[in-house]
Amino acid sequence: MSHNGLCRRIIPCLDVAGGRTVKGVNFSNLRDIGDPVELAQRYEEEGADELMFLDISATHEERKTVFDLVERVAYKLSIPFTVGGGISNLSDVERLLNCGAEKVSVNSSAVKRPELVSEIAFACGSQCCVVAIDARMRKDTDKEDPIWDVLVQGGRQNTGLDAFAWAQKCVENGAGEILLTSWDRDGTQDGFDLKLTRKFSDGLPIPVIASGGASGPGSFIEVFQEGHADAALAATIFHDGMWTVQKLKDEVKKAKIAVRV
Amino acid sequence: MVEAIDVVEIGAGNIGSVKRCLEMLDIRYQVVNATNPPTGDMPLLLPGVGAFGPVMDHLRKDRLDERLVDLVKNGTPYLGICIGMQILFDSSEEAKNTRGLGLVSGVVRKFQDGKVPQIGWNNIEISPSLNGKNTAHFPEEGYVYFVNSYYPDPAVKENVLYYADYYVRFCAAVAHKNITAFQFHPEKSGKFGKELLKRWIDSVT
C-alpha cells in the first residue's frame, strides 16, 4: 500500500458571541477577549490548519451578527473554517456557506431532527457537514468497554443516546466529519480521552476531530498516535498563550507525526 | 496586472471562496455562465465543489460544455479546481453514464483505501516527467488543502503536474497545453495556495 501523506490537523476554536471573541467558565462570566478576525488571522499566521468558530450567543439579536462575522473572517482568511452553534435549519447553513464558511457544525438540532444532517449533505455535500457530539461516559458502564451518552444544550441535558450509535447514524445520513468532545475531559487540561477518540476514529469511515482536555504537545501526540484522531481541537491553551500553534506543531512533528509546518 | 479572469459558474455552488481569493490578490474577474457566456478573450477559471454528474448535466443543459471545449481547443487558458479539474477528463467512476469534456484523456477514480473523502492538508510534489512544461514556474512542493473522494488518472503521465499520496500515489494537478488543473483548493491553502494561483495568473497574462 502506498504511503499516506495526509497531515493530522490542529484546529484552534474561538467562542464568539455578538460578533466578538469571548471566554468564560461554563458559559458564565463571559469576558470579551477581542476581535475574532484579528485572532483568526493570528492563528492562520501561526500555522493553524483550520479554525472553528463556535457561536455561543445567548440572544436572537446577538446570533444575527454571526453572518456578518463569517463574511468578515472569510475576506481575511485563506484556510478553511467551520461555524457551529445554534444552527437548526438548511437556510442558515446555506447562508453561512455563502458568507464563506467551508463547513458548518450541527449538534443539538441534529439530535432533535436527524434529517437535518441528510438535508445538509444532500444540498451542500457531505464535506461541509460536521456533526458535533458531546459525549459523557455513562455511569456504571463497563470501564474497559464503556458506553458514552450524548449530551445536548451545551451539556445541560443528557439524551441517554449511545454516542457511538448516534455517530453511526449520522454517517449513514451523510455527515462528513465528527467533532467529538469528551465532556469528562472538557476544560480539565488532563489530555484528550484516548479511549473515546480511538473507538470513534477506528469505528467510523469518516474523519474524527478530538476535542476536550487539550494540554501541551504530549496530549496531541497521544491523541494522534493512540487515539488515532484525524484532527484535534483546542481553545484555552492557544488563547491563554501557553502554546502558539507553531510551537505546538514543531513538538508534534518531532514525534514523527505528519503535520503541516 | 491582469485585465480580468472569467470565473465560470458551473452550477456547483460556492464559488465565493475563489472570488474572495481573487479579490485578496487584487485580480479583477467577472462571473460567466449560460446567459453571459465566456468569449475566450479572458483566461477561464472553473472552481467548485460538486459532483461530476450534476455539473456535466448543468453544463450540457446550457450547451456551455461545447463552448468551453471550443474555447480551450482554440487556446484560451483554463484553470480547473476540484470538480473543475475532474470534468476535463473522459469519464468518472462517480457518474458512470456521464461523459466528461474529454479535453485531457483519462478517467476519474474513487479512493479505495483510507477514510473517504480525504479531508485536510497533503504534500504535493512536482512530477519528474513533466518534460519542462512547467511554464508557470510552479514550486517543487508544498502543502495544500484537499477535500476529495475521487482523483484523476490521466492516460498520459507527462500531463501530470503534481503528485500526492493518499494510500495511492495520485495525480494532484495536471498541465497540458493551455490547461492547468488542481484537485486541491488553492483558495483554501494559505499563502502557498495563493502563490500557486498567482503564478498561473502571471503565466496567462
PDB file of all heavy atoms in Angstrom, chain A residues 1 3-5 7 49-50 75 78 80 100 102-103 127 201 206 230 260, chain B residues 20 23-24 49 115 118 121-122 143 145 147 165-167 188-191:
ATOM      1  N   MET A   1       0.843  -1.198   0.000  1.00  0.00           N
ATOM      2  CA  MET A   1       0.000   0.000   0.000  1.00  0.00           C
ATOM      3  C   MET A   1       0.878   1.248   0.000  1.00  0.00           C
ATOM      4  O   MET A   1       1.903   1.294   0.670  1.00  0.00           O
ATOM      5  CB  MET A   1      -0.900  -0.013   1.233  1.00  0.00           C
ATOM      6  CG  MET A   1      -1.933   1.104   1.230  1.00  0.00           C
ATOM      7  SD  MET A   1      -2.847   1.169   2.770  1.00  0.00           S
ATOM      8  CE  MET A   1      -3.905  -0.249   2.592  1.00  0.00           C
ATOM      9  N   HIS A   3       2.093   5.070   0.671  1.00  0.00           N
ATOM     10  CA  HIS A   3       2.190   5.940   1.829  1.00  0.00           C
ATOM     11  C   HIS A   3       0.995   6.911   1.868  1.00  0.00           C
ATOM     12  O   HIS A   3       0.454   7.291   0.851  1.00  0.00           O
ATOM     13  CB  HIS A   3       3.508   6.689   1.660  1.00  0.00           C
ATOM     14  CG  HIS A   3       3.752   7.729   2.652  1.00  0.00           C
ATOM     15  ND1 HIS A   3       4.012   7.444   3.957  1.00  0.00           N
ATOM     16  CD2 HIS A   3       3.788   9.070   2.525  1.00  0.00           C
ATOM     17  CE1 HIS A   3       4.212   8.580   4.604  1.00  0.00           C
ATOM     18  NE2 HIS A   3       4.081   9.574   3.758  1.00  0.00           N
ATOM     19  N   ASN A   4       0.597   7.299   3.077  1.00  0.00           N
ATOM     20  CA  ASN A   4      -0.436   8.316   3.198  1.00  0.00           C
ATOM     21  C   ASN A   4       0.206   9.603   3.679  1.00  0.00           C
ATOM     22  O   ASN A   4       0.697   9.671   4.796  1.00  0.00           O
ATOM     23  CB  ASN A   4      -1.506   7.832   4.188  1.00  0.00           C
ATOM     24  CG  ASN A   4      -2.451   8.942   4.600  1.00  0.00           C
ATOM     25  OD1 ASN A   4      -2.590   9.937   3.891  1.00  0.00           O
ATOM     26  ND2 ASN A   4      -3.087   8.777   5.739  1.00  0.00           N
ATOM     27  N   GLY A   5       0.204  10.617   2.829  1.00  0.00           N
ATOM     28  CA  GLY A   5       0.868  11.871   3.177  1.00  0.00           C
ATOM     29  C   GLY A   5      -0.028  12.880   3.874  1.00  0.00           C
ATOM     30  O   GLY A   5       0.397  13.982   4.198  1.00  0.00           O
ATOM     31  N   CYS A   7      -1.829  15.112   6.415  1.00  0.00           N
ATOM     32  CA  CYS A   7      -1.389  15.581   7.729  1.00  0.00           C
ATOM     33  C   CYS A   7      -2.505  15.511   8.760  1.00  0.00           C
ATOM     34  O   CYS A   7      -3.677  15.665   8.429  1.00  0.00           O
ATOM     35  CB  CYS A   7      -0.932  17.034   7.630  1.00  0.00           C
ATOM     36  SG  CYS A   7       0.499  17.257   6.591  1.00  0.00           S
ATOM     37  N   ASP A  49      -4.336  24.780  10.917  1.00  0.00           N
ATOM     38  CA  ASP A  49      -4.761  24.107   9.691  1.00  0.00           C
ATOM     39  C   ASP A  49      -6.182  24.472   9.298  1.00  0.00           C
ATOM     40  O   ASP A  49      -6.550  24.441   8.124  1.00  0.00           O
ATOM     41  CB  ASP A  49      -4.655  22.592   9.875  1.00  0.00           C
ATOM     42  CG  ASP A  49      -3.217  22.179  10.082  1.00  0.00           C
ATOM     43  OD1 ASP A  49      -2.381  22.560   9.244  1.00  0.00           O
ATOM     44  OD2 ASP A  49      -2.926  21.514  11.094  1.00  0.00           O
ATOM     45  N   GLU A  50      -6.979  24.732  10.295  1.00  0.00           N
ATOM     46  CA  GLU A  50      -8.366  25.152  10.103  1.00  0.00           C
ATOM     47  C   GLU A  50      -8.729  25.930  11.354  1.00  0.00           C
ATOM     48  O   GLU A  50      -7.999  25.887  12.346  1.00  0.00           O
ATOM     49  CB  GLU A  50      -9.318  23.955  10.041  1.00  0.00           C
ATOM     50  CG  GLU A  50      -9.220  23.120   8.797  1.00  0.00           C
ATOM     51  CD  GLU A  50     -10.244  21.983   8.808  1.00  0.00           C
ATOM     52  OE1 GLU A  50     -11.354  22.165   9.334  1.00  0.00           O
ATOM     53  OE2 GLU A  50      -9.906  20.910   8.296  1.00  0.00           O
ATOM     54  N   TYR A  75     -13.014  37.169   4.275  1.00  0.00           N
ATOM     55  CA  TYR A  75     -12.209  38.081   3.466  1.00  0.00           C
ATOM     56  C   TYR A  75     -10.774  38.198   3.950  1.00  0.00           C
ATOM     57  O   TYR A  75      -9.926  38.764   3.273  1.00  0.00           O
ATOM     58  CB  TYR A  75     -12.855  39.463   3.392  1.00  0.00           C
ATOM     59  CG  TYR A  75     -13.797  39.569   2.219  1.00  0.00           C
ATOM     60  CD1 TYR A  75     -15.171  39.497   2.388  1.00  0.00           C
ATOM     61  CD2 TYR A  75     -13.285  39.703   0.928  1.00  0.00           C
ATOM     62  CE1 TYR A  75     -16.030  39.554   1.312  1.00  0.00           C
ATOM     63  CE2 TYR A  75     -14.139  39.770  -0.159  1.00  0.00           C
ATOM     64  CZ  TYR A  75     -15.503  39.701   0.033  1.00  0.00           C
ATOM     65  OH  TYR A  75     -16.332  39.755  -1.042  1.00  0.00           O
ATOM     66  N   SER A  78      -7.295  32.586   4.534  1.00  0.00           N
ATOM     67  CA  SER A  78      -7.205  31.699   3.373  1.00  0.00           C
ATOM     68  C   SER A  78      -6.972  30.250   3.779  1.00  0.00           C
ATOM     69  O   SER A  78      -6.357  29.477   3.046  1.00  0.00           O
ATOM     70  CB  SER A  78      -6.161  32.198   2.375  1.00  0.00           C
ATOM     71  OG  SER A  78      -5.019  32.650   3.022  1.00  0.00           O
ATOM     72  N   PRO A  80      -9.423  26.915   5.625  1.00  0.00           N
ATOM     73  CA  PRO A  80     -10.840  26.598   5.821  1.00  0.00           C
ATOM     74  C   PRO A  80     -11.283  26.880   7.260  1.00  0.00           C
ATOM     75  O   PRO A  80     -10.485  26.779   8.185  1.00  0.00           O
ATOM     76  CB  PRO A  80     -10.905  25.083   5.557  1.00  0.00           C
ATOM     77  CG  PRO A  80      -9.616  24.734   4.915  1.00  0.00           C
ATOM     78  CD  PRO A  80      -8.614  25.715   5.381  1.00  0.00           C
ATOM     79  N   GLY A 100     -18.956  32.358   3.296  1.00  0.00           N
ATOM     80  CA  GLY A 100     -17.554  31.976   3.198  1.00  0.00           C
ATOM     81  C   GLY A 100     -17.099  30.882   4.148  1.00  0.00           C
ATOM     82  O   GLY A 100     -15.915  30.538   4.158  1.00  0.00           O
ATOM     83  N   GLU A 102     -16.396  27.176   5.246  1.00  0.00           N
ATOM     84  CA  GLU A 102     -16.136  25.963   4.467  1.00  0.00           C
ATOM     85  C   GLU A 102     -17.083  24.846   4.906  1.00  0.00           C
ATOM     86  O   GLU A 102     -17.530  24.036   4.096  1.00  0.00           O
ATOM     87  CB  GLU A 102     -14.672  25.543   4.690  1.00  0.00           C
ATOM     88  CG  GLU A 102     -14.271  24.185   4.153  1.00  0.00           C
ATOM     89  CD  GLU A 102     -13.993  24.185   2.664  1.00  0.00           C
ATOM     90  OE1 GLU A 102     -13.996  25.273   2.055  1.00  0.00           O
ATOM     91  OE2 GLU A 102     -13.768  23.105   2.111  1.00  0.00           O
ATOM     92  N   LYS A 103     -17.373  24.820   6.228  1.00  0.00           N
ATOM     93  CA  LYS A 103     -18.222  23.771   6.783  1.00  0.00           C
ATOM     94  C   LYS A 103     -19.108  24.369   7.872  1.00  0.00           C
ATOM     95  O   LYS A 103     -18.793  25.430   8.408  1.00  0.00           O
ATOM     96  CB  LYS A 103     -17.381  22.657   7.436  1.00  0.00           C
ATOM     97  CG  LYS A 103     -16.201  22.185   6.628  1.00  0.00           C
ATOM     98  CD  LYS A 103     -15.319  21.243   7.432  1.00  0.00           C
ATOM     99  CE  LYS A 103     -13.936  21.138   6.815  1.00  0.00           C
ATOM    100  NZ  LYS A 103     -13.032  20.250   7.540  1.00  0.00           N
ATOM    101  N   GLN A 127     -19.060  16.940   2.570  1.00  0.00           N
ATOM    102  CA  GLN A 127     -17.787  17.532   3.009  1.00  0.00           C
ATOM    103  C   GLN A 127     -17.976  18.772   3.865  1.00  0.00           C
ATOM    104  O   GLN A 127     -17.092  19.144   4.611  1.00  0.00           O
ATOM    105  CB  GLN A 127     -16.893  17.843   1.802  1.00  0.00           C
ATOM    106  CG  GLN A 127     -17.177  19.132   1.067  1.00  0.00           C
ATOM    107  CD  GLN A 127     -18.482  19.129   0.286  1.00  0.00           C
ATOM    108  OE1 GLN A 127     -18.960  18.086  -0.124  1.00  0.00           O
ATOM    109  NE2 GLN A 127     -19.063  20.300   0.092  1.00  0.00           N
ATOM    110  N   SER A 201     -12.751   6.894  16.001  1.00  0.00           N
ATOM    111  CA  SER A 201     -11.923   7.063  14.810  1.00  0.00           C
ATOM    112  C   SER A 201     -11.726   5.727  14.075  1.00  0.00           C
ATOM    113  O   SER A 201     -11.767   5.677  12.852  1.00  0.00           O
ATOM    114  CB  SER A 201     -10.582   7.668  15.181  1.00  0.00           C
ATOM    115  OG  SER A 201      -9.920   8.076  14.014  1.00  0.00           O
ATOM    116  N   ILE A 206     -15.353   8.074   8.510  1.00  0.00           N
ATOM    117  CA  ILE A 206     -15.120   9.497   8.225  1.00  0.00           C
ATOM    118  C   ILE A 206     -14.171  10.069   9.288  1.00  0.00           C
ATOM    119  O   ILE A 206     -14.006   9.486  10.362  1.00  0.00           O
ATOM    120  CB  ILE A 206     -16.449  10.296   8.183  1.00  0.00           C
ATOM    121  CG1 ILE A 206     -17.173  10.233   9.530  1.00  0.00           C
ATOM    122  CG2 ILE A 206     -17.347   9.802   7.052  1.00  0.00           C
ATOM    123  CD1 ILE A 206     -18.388  11.155   9.604  1.00  0.00           C
ATOM    124  N   ASP A 230      -7.984  12.140  13.547  1.00  0.00           N
ATOM    125  CA  ASP A 230      -7.593  12.755  12.284  1.00  0.00           C
ATOM    126  C   ASP A 230      -7.226  14.219  12.486  1.00  0.00           C
ATOM    127  O   ASP A 230      -6.478  14.793  11.717  1.00  0.00           O
ATOM    128  CB  ASP A 230      -8.737  12.635  11.276  1.00  0.00           C
ATOM    129  CG  ASP A 230      -9.068  11.187  10.993  1.00  0.00           C
ATOM    130  OD1 ASP A 230      -8.315  10.564  10.233  1.00  0.00           O
ATOM    131  OD2 ASP A 230     -10.044  10.656  11.577  1.00  0.00           O
ATOM    132  N   ARG A 260       1.531  19.820   9.076  1.00  0.00           N
ATOM    133  CA  ARG A 260       1.953  20.840   8.118  1.00  0.00           C
ATOM    134  C   ARG A 260       2.740  21.907   8.874  1.00  0.00           C
ATOM    135  O   ARG A 260       2.178  22.605   9.717  1.00  0.00           O
ATOM    136  CB  ARG A 260       0.726  21.467   7.470  1.00  0.00           C
ATOM    137  CG  ARG A 260       1.035  22.552   6.457  1.00  0.00           C
ATOM    138  CD  ARG A 260      -0.251  23.149   5.909  1.00  0.00           C
ATOM    139  NE  ARG A 260      -0.975  23.886   6.930  1.00  0.00           N
ATOM    140  CZ  ARG A 260      -1.148  25.202   6.897  1.00  0.00           C
ATOM    141  NH1 ARG A 260      -0.661  25.921   5.919  1.00  0.00           N
ATOM    142  NH2 ARG A 260      -1.832  25.810   7.857  1.00  0.00           N
TER     143      ARG A 260
ATOM    144  N   ARG B  20     -13.458  35.610  -3.498  1.00  0.00           N
ATOM    145  CA  ARG B  20     -12.810  36.361  -2.410  1.00  0.00           C
ATOM    146  C   ARG B  20     -11.291  36.297  -2.526  1.00  0.00           C
ATOM    147  O   ARG B  20     -10.590  37.268  -2.280  1.00  0.00           O
ATOM    148  CB  ARG B  20     -13.247  35.819  -1.053  1.00  0.00           C
ATOM    149  CG  ARG B  20     -14.516  36.478  -0.530  1.00  0.00           C
ATOM    150  CD  ARG B  20     -14.867  35.945   0.843  1.00  0.00           C
ATOM    151  NE  ARG B  20     -15.319  34.571   0.755  1.00  0.00           N
ATOM    152  CZ  ARG B  20     -16.590  34.216   0.589  1.00  0.00           C
ATOM    153  NH1 ARG B  20     -17.534  35.124   0.528  1.00  0.00           N
ATOM    154  NH2 ARG B  20     -16.924  32.957   0.490  1.00  0.00           N
ATOM    155  N   GLU B  23     -10.073  38.615  -5.107  1.00  0.00           N
ATOM    156  CA  GLU B  23     -10.126  39.989  -4.586  1.00  0.00           C
ATOM    157  C   GLU B  23      -8.937  40.263  -3.675  1.00  0.00           C
ATOM    158  O   GLU B  23      -8.329  41.338  -3.735  1.00  0.00           O
ATOM    159  CB  GLU B  23     -11.452  40.232  -3.858  1.00  0.00           C
ATOM    160  CG  GLU B  23     -12.598  40.442  -4.845  1.00  0.00           C
ATOM    161  CD  GLU B  23     -13.984  40.346  -4.214  1.00  0.00           C
ATOM    162  OE1 GLU B  23     -14.125  40.730  -3.036  1.00  0.00           O
ATOM    163  OE2 GLU B  23     -14.913  39.869  -4.900  1.00  0.00           O
ATOM    164  N   MET B  24      -8.602  39.280  -2.843  1.00  0.00           N
ATOM    165  CA  MET B  24      -7.447  39.453  -1.953  1.00  0.00           C
ATOM    166  C   MET B  24      -6.161  39.617  -2.756  1.00  0.00           C
ATOM    167  O   MET B  24      -5.254  40.323  -2.345  1.00  0.00           O
ATOM    168  CB  MET B  24      -7.317  38.269  -0.983  1.00  0.00           C
ATOM    169  CG  MET B  24      -8.313  38.302   0.158  1.00  0.00           C
ATOM    170  SD  MET B  24      -7.813  37.154   1.470  1.00  0.00           S
ATOM    171  CE  MET B  24      -8.888  35.774   1.186  1.00  0.00           C
ATOM    172  N   VAL B  49     -16.946  22.973  -5.675  1.00  0.00           N
ATOM    173  CA  VAL B  49     -17.111  21.690  -5.027  1.00  0.00           C
ATOM    174  C   VAL B  49     -18.406  21.158  -5.601  1.00  0.00           C
ATOM    175  O   VAL B  49     -19.395  21.874  -5.657  1.00  0.00           O
ATOM    176  CB  VAL B  49     -17.264  21.877  -3.498  1.00  0.00           C
ATOM    177  CG1 VAL B  49     -17.586  20.566  -2.829  1.00  0.00           C
ATOM    178  CG2 VAL B  49     -16.002  22.482  -2.917  1.00  0.00           C
ATOM    179  N   LYS B 115      -9.957   6.842   4.907  1.00  0.00           N
ATOM    180  CA  LYS B 115     -11.255   7.486   5.076  1.00  0.00           C
ATOM    181  C   LYS B 115     -11.560   8.305   3.833  1.00  0.00           C
ATOM    182  O   LYS B 115     -10.688   8.978   3.293  1.00  0.00           O
ATOM    183  CB  LYS B 115     -11.231   8.365   6.322  1.00  0.00           C
ATOM    184  CG  LYS B 115     -11.115   7.529   7.594  1.00  0.00           C
ATOM    185  CD  LYS B 115     -11.136   8.374   8.840  1.00  0.00           C
ATOM    186  CE  LYS B 115     -11.059   7.465  10.058  1.00  0.00           C
ATOM    187  NZ  LYS B 115     -11.126   8.213  11.319  1.00  0.00           N
ATOM    188  N   GLN B 118     -10.977  12.220   1.448  1.00  0.00           N
ATOM    189  CA  GLN B 118      -9.736  12.737   2.014  1.00  0.00           C
ATOM    190  C   GLN B 118     -10.023  14.182   2.408  1.00  0.00           C
ATOM    191  O   GLN B 118     -10.466  14.970   1.569  1.00  0.00           O
ATOM    192  CB  GLN B 118      -8.627  12.690   0.954  1.00  0.00           C
ATOM    193  CG  GLN B 118      -7.417  13.522   1.334  1.00  0.00           C
ATOM    194  CD  GLN B 118      -6.323  13.625   0.262  1.00  0.00           C
ATOM    195  OE1 GLN B 118      -5.158  13.625   0.585  1.00  0.00           O
ATOM    196  NE2 GLN B 118      -6.708  13.727  -1.000  1.00  0.00           N
ATOM    197  N   TRP B 121      -4.721  18.629   4.780  1.00  0.00           N
ATOM    198  CA  TRP B 121      -3.521  19.117   4.093  1.00  0.00           C
ATOM    199  C   TRP B 121      -2.635  17.949   3.697  1.00  0.00           C
ATOM    200  O   TRP B 121      -2.320  17.098   4.514  1.00  0.00           O
ATOM    201  CB  TRP B 121      -2.748  20.061   5.005  1.00  0.00           C
ATOM    202  CG  TRP B 121      -3.508  21.283   5.373  1.00  0.00           C
ATOM    203  CD1 TRP B 121      -4.476  21.377   6.333  1.00  0.00           C
ATOM    204  CD2 TRP B 121      -3.390  22.580   4.801  1.00  0.00           C
ATOM    205  NE1 TRP B 121      -4.959  22.663   6.385  1.00  0.00           N
ATOM    206  CE2 TRP B 121      -4.305  23.429   5.459  1.00  0.00           C
ATOM    207  CE3 TRP B 121      -2.585  23.121   3.789  1.00  0.00           C
ATOM    208  CZ2 TRP B 121      -4.451  24.772   5.145  1.00  0.00           C
ATOM    209  CZ3 TRP B 121      -2.726  24.463   3.480  1.00  0.00           C
ATOM    210  CH2 TRP B 121      -3.653  25.287   4.146  1.00  0.00           C
ATOM    211  N   ASN B 122      -2.243  17.950   2.435  1.00  0.00           N
ATOM    212  CA  ASN B 122      -1.350  16.916   1.957  1.00  0.00           C
ATOM    213  C   ASN B 122      -0.234  17.587   1.158  1.00  0.00           C
ATOM    214  O   ASN B 122      -0.418  18.674   0.609  1.00  0.00           O
ATOM    215  CB  ASN B 122      -2.125  15.909   1.086  1.00  0.00           C
ATOM    216  CG  ASN B 122      -1.479  14.537   1.063  1.00  0.00           C
ATOM    217  OD1 ASN B 122      -0.267  14.408   1.198  1.00  0.00           O
ATOM    218  ND2 ASN B 122      -2.291  13.504   0.878  1.00  0.00           N
ATOM    219  N   TYR B 143       2.396  22.223   0.914  1.00  0.00           N
ATOM    220  CA  TYR B 143       1.176  21.655   1.486  1.00  0.00           C
ATOM    221  C   TYR B 143      -0.062  22.382   0.975  1.00  0.00           C
ATOM    222  O   TYR B 143      -0.098  23.616   0.967  1.00  0.00           O
ATOM    223  CB  TYR B 143       1.201  21.756   3.014  1.00  0.00           C
ATOM    224  CG  TYR B 143       2.117  20.754   3.650  1.00  0.00           C
ATOM    225  CD1 TYR B 143       3.333  21.160   4.207  1.00  0.00           C
ATOM    226  CD2 TYR B 143       1.776  19.413   3.700  1.00  0.00           C
ATOM    227  CE1 TYR B 143       4.181  20.242   4.798  1.00  0.00           C
ATOM    228  CE2 TYR B 143       2.623  18.484   4.287  1.00  0.00           C
ATOM    229  CZ  TYR B 143       3.822  18.901   4.838  1.00  0.00           C
ATOM    230  OH  TYR B 143       4.656  17.995   5.414  1.00  0.00           O
ATOM    231  N   TYR B 145      -4.658  22.113   0.639  1.00  0.00           N
ATOM    232  CA  TYR B 145      -5.857  21.565   1.290  1.00  0.00           C
ATOM    233  C   TYR B 145      -6.726  20.796   0.284  1.00  0.00           C
ATOM    234  O   TYR B 145      -7.129  21.339  -0.744  1.00  0.00           O
ATOM    235  CB  TYR B 145      -6.663  22.711   1.908  1.00  0.00           C
ATOM    236  CG  TYR B 145      -7.798  22.243   2.785  1.00  0.00           C
ATOM    237  CD1 TYR B 145      -7.560  21.832   4.093  1.00  0.00           C
ATOM    238  CD2 TYR B 145      -9.106  22.215   2.320  1.00  0.00           C
ATOM    239  CE1 TYR B 145      -8.587  21.399   4.910  1.00  0.00           C
ATOM    240  CE2 TYR B 145     -10.144  21.782   3.132  1.00  0.00           C
ATOM    241  CZ  TYR B 145      -9.883  21.373   4.417  1.00  0.00           C
ATOM    242  OH  TYR B 145     -10.901  20.946   5.223  1.00  0.00           O
ATOM    243  N   VAL B 147     -10.166  18.242  -0.370  1.00  0.00           N
ATOM    244  CA  VAL B 147     -11.435  17.623   0.051  1.00  0.00           C
ATOM    245  C   VAL B 147     -11.900  16.827  -1.159  1.00  0.00           C
ATOM    246  O   VAL B 147     -12.481  17.380  -2.089  1.00  0.00           O
ATOM    247  CB  VAL B 147     -12.515  18.664   0.395  1.00  0.00           C
ATOM    248  CG1 VAL B 147     -13.783  17.968   0.855  1.00  0.00           C
ATOM    249  CG2 VAL B 147     -12.044  19.617   1.470  1.00  0.00           C
ATOM    250  N   ASP B 165       0.162  11.641  -2.134  1.00  0.00           N
ATOM    251  CA  ASP B 165      -0.086  10.271  -1.659  1.00  0.00           C
ATOM    252  C   ASP B 165      -1.272  10.219  -0.708  1.00  0.00           C
ATOM    253  O   ASP B 165      -1.297  10.940   0.293  1.00  0.00           O
ATOM    254  CB  ASP B 165       1.142   9.745  -0.896  1.00  0.00           C
ATOM    255  CG  ASP B 165       2.335   9.544  -1.811  1.00  0.00           C
ATOM    256  OD1 ASP B 165       2.171   8.858  -2.827  1.00  0.00           O
ATOM    257  OD2 ASP B 165       3.414  10.086  -1.505  1.00  0.00           O
ATOM    258  N   TYR B 166      -2.235   9.392  -1.038  1.00  0.00           N
ATOM    259  CA  TYR B 166      -3.303   9.081  -0.081  1.00  0.00           C
ATOM    260  C   TYR B 166      -3.624   7.585  -0.251  1.00  0.00           C
ATOM    261  O   TYR B 166      -4.557   7.215  -0.940  1.00  0.00           O
ATOM    262  CB  TYR B 166      -4.539   9.956  -0.311  1.00  0.00           C
ATOM    263  CG  TYR B 166      -5.556   9.822   0.815  1.00  0.00           C
ATOM    264  CD1 TYR B 166      -5.221  10.188   2.112  1.00  0.00           C
ATOM    265  CD2 TYR B 166      -6.825   9.306   0.591  1.00  0.00           C
ATOM    266  CE1 TYR B 166      -6.126  10.055   3.160  1.00  0.00           C
ATOM    267  CE2 TYR B 166      -7.741   9.167   1.626  1.00  0.00           C
ATOM    268  CZ  TYR B 166      -7.378   9.546   2.905  1.00  0.00           C
ATOM    269  OH  TYR B 166      -8.274   9.406   3.947  1.00  0.00           O
ATOM    270  N   TYR B 167      -2.790   6.760   0.329  1.00  0.00           N
ATOM    271  CA  TYR B 167      -2.876   5.297   0.206  1.00  0.00           C
ATOM    272  C   TYR B 167      -2.684   4.845  -1.239  1.00  0.00           C
ATOM    273  O   TYR B 167      -2.687   3.666  -1.543  1.00  0.00           O
ATOM    274  CB  TYR B 167      -4.184   4.751   0.783  1.00  0.00           C
ATOM    275  CG  TYR B 167      -4.391   5.106   2.232  1.00  0.00           C
ATOM    276  CD1 TYR B 167      -5.158   6.204   2.590  1.00  0.00           C
ATOM    277  CD2 TYR B 167      -3.794   4.348   3.230  1.00  0.00           C
ATOM    278  CE1 TYR B 167      -5.327   6.542   3.927  1.00  0.00           C
ATOM    279  CE2 TYR B 167      -3.955   4.680   4.565  1.00  0.00           C
ATOM    280  CZ  TYR B 167      -4.732   5.775   4.913  1.00  0.00           C
ATOM    281  OH  TYR B 167      -4.893   6.113   6.220  1.00  0.00           O
ATOM    282  N   LYS B 188      -8.000  27.790  -0.524  1.00  0.00           N
ATOM    283  CA  LYS B 188      -8.109  27.466   0.911  1.00  0.00           C
ATOM    284  C   LYS B 188      -6.775  27.022   1.464  1.00  0.00           C
ATOM    285  O   LYS B 188      -6.703  26.463   2.556  1.00  0.00           O
ATOM    286  CB  LYS B 188      -9.124  26.320   1.111  1.00  0.00           C
ATOM    287  CG  LYS B 188     -10.536  26.659   0.743  1.00  0.00           C
ATOM    288  CD  LYS B 188     -11.233  27.348   1.884  1.00  0.00           C
ATOM    289  CE  LYS B 188     -12.651  27.732   1.487  1.00  0.00           C
ATOM    290  NZ  LYS B 188     -13.291  28.525   2.516  1.00  0.00           N
ATOM    291  N   SER B 189      -5.722  27.198   0.676  1.00  0.00           N
ATOM    292  CA  SER B 189      -4.429  26.616   1.039  1.00  0.00           C
ATOM    293  C   SER B 189      -3.415  27.657   1.483  1.00  0.00           C
ATOM    294  O   SER B 189      -2.224  27.571   1.152  1.00  0.00           O
ATOM    295  CB  SER B 189      -3.868  25.801  -0.127  1.00  0.00           C
ATOM    296  OG  SER B 189      -4.720  24.722  -0.441  1.00  0.00           O
ATOM    297  N   GLY B 190      -3.882  28.642   2.235  1.00  0.00           N
ATOM    298  CA  GLY B 190      -2.983  29.615   2.835  1.00  0.00           C
ATOM    299  C   GLY B 190      -2.141  30.360   1.804  1.00  0.00           C
ATOM    300  O   GLY B 190      -2.534  30.527   0.646  1.00  0.00           O
ATOM    301  N   LYS B 191      -0.971  30.796   2.257  1.00  0.00           N
ATOM    302  CA  LYS B 191      -0.071  31.576   1.398  1.00  0.00           C
ATOM    303  C   LYS B 191       0.388  30.775   0.181  1.00  0.00           C
ATOM    304  O   LYS B 191       0.483  31.307  -0.917  1.00  0.00           O
ATOM    305  CB  LYS B 191       1.171  31.970   2.206  1.00  0.00           C
ATOM    306  CG  LYS B 191       0.966  33.214   3.028  1.00  0.00           C
ATOM    307  CD  LYS B 191       2.322  33.783   3.440  1.00  0.00           C
ATOM    308  CE  LYS B 191       2.119  34.908   4.434  1.00  0.00           C
ATOM    309  NZ  LYS B 191       2.725  34.660   5.729  1.00  0.00           N
TER     310      LYS B 191
END
